[in-house]
Amino acid sequence: MSTIFNNKDGGEFRELVAQKIGLEEITPCFSCGSCTGVCPVREVVEDFDPRRIIHMIIMGMKTEVLSSDLIWFCCLCNSCYFVCPQGIRFSRISEELQKMAVDEGYADPDFLSRLAPVKDYLQDLCRRTLFQKVRNGFCGPHTMPCWQKNTKRGDT
């Protein structure tokens, strides 16, 4: 019988990420995909998948997560948080993963300063993508007052 997955520090990595972002656990995610479905970055970067990154954290795939280019793409718009039935804020996870990647030598500390112009562009792109989704009828369990005012749920 072959071993499919064997990671000694899996639980430690999951707990470390959960502790740093202020959640008791990161395991409440049940992989519904709401975060990925609403993510404006996903519209542009097909490989970006918050659900998959969270799953990799839960599985303890520390090296794979912290060395991944994908942890740098989150535009911190919090769209995922507003649709997550478990209240997980992926933007906080993303920010912490970025800090951990730098602190643990997976990324050059100067990388963050070189990334700044791209972050501004990505955040602008995210905003425009989200507004287009709202304009096209996107709705969900949003808690932001401006979204509640501008989106109508089918049951109201």
Side-chain angles (χ1 to χ4, degrees), residues 5 7 9-19 21 23 25-27 29 49-66 71 88-90 92-98 100:
F5 185 80
N7 192 329
D9 70 340
E12 292 175 22
F13 179 54
R14 178 186 63 233
E15 297 307 318
L16 179 62
V17 172
Q19 177 185 24
I21 62 171
L23 292 176
E25 289 185 53
I26 201 168
T27 53
C29 175
D49 186 343
R51 171 182 53 181
R52 183 173 52 182
I53 293 170
I54 290 172
H55 184 68
M56 290 171 71
I57 293 167
I58 292 169
M59 296 296 293
M61 300 173 72
K62 179 179 180 178
T63 301
E64 294 84 353
V65 171
L66 296 182
I71 64 171
I88 296 172
R89 190 180 302 253
F90 184 78
R92 289 176 56 211
I93 295 169
S94 180
E95 286 179 307
E96 195 54 49
L97 292 175
Q98 292 172 11
M100 290 173 72

Side-chain angles (χ1 to χ4, degrees), residues 116-134:
V118 176
K119 279 285 196 185
D120 291 342
Y121 170 77
L122 193 56
Q123 287 179 338
D124 181 56
L125 180 64
C126 286
R127 280 190 288 276
R128 286 186 281 130
T129 303
L130 282 173
F131 289 134
Q132 185 63 41
K133 283 184 175 192
V134 170

Side-chain angles (χ1 to χ4, degrees), residues 68-83:
S68 173
D69 294 344
L70 296 175
I71 64 171
W72 302 96
F73 287 126
C74 178
C75 68
L76 311 176
C77 68
N78 286 316
S79 299
C80 52
Y81 173 69
F82 298 114
V83 299

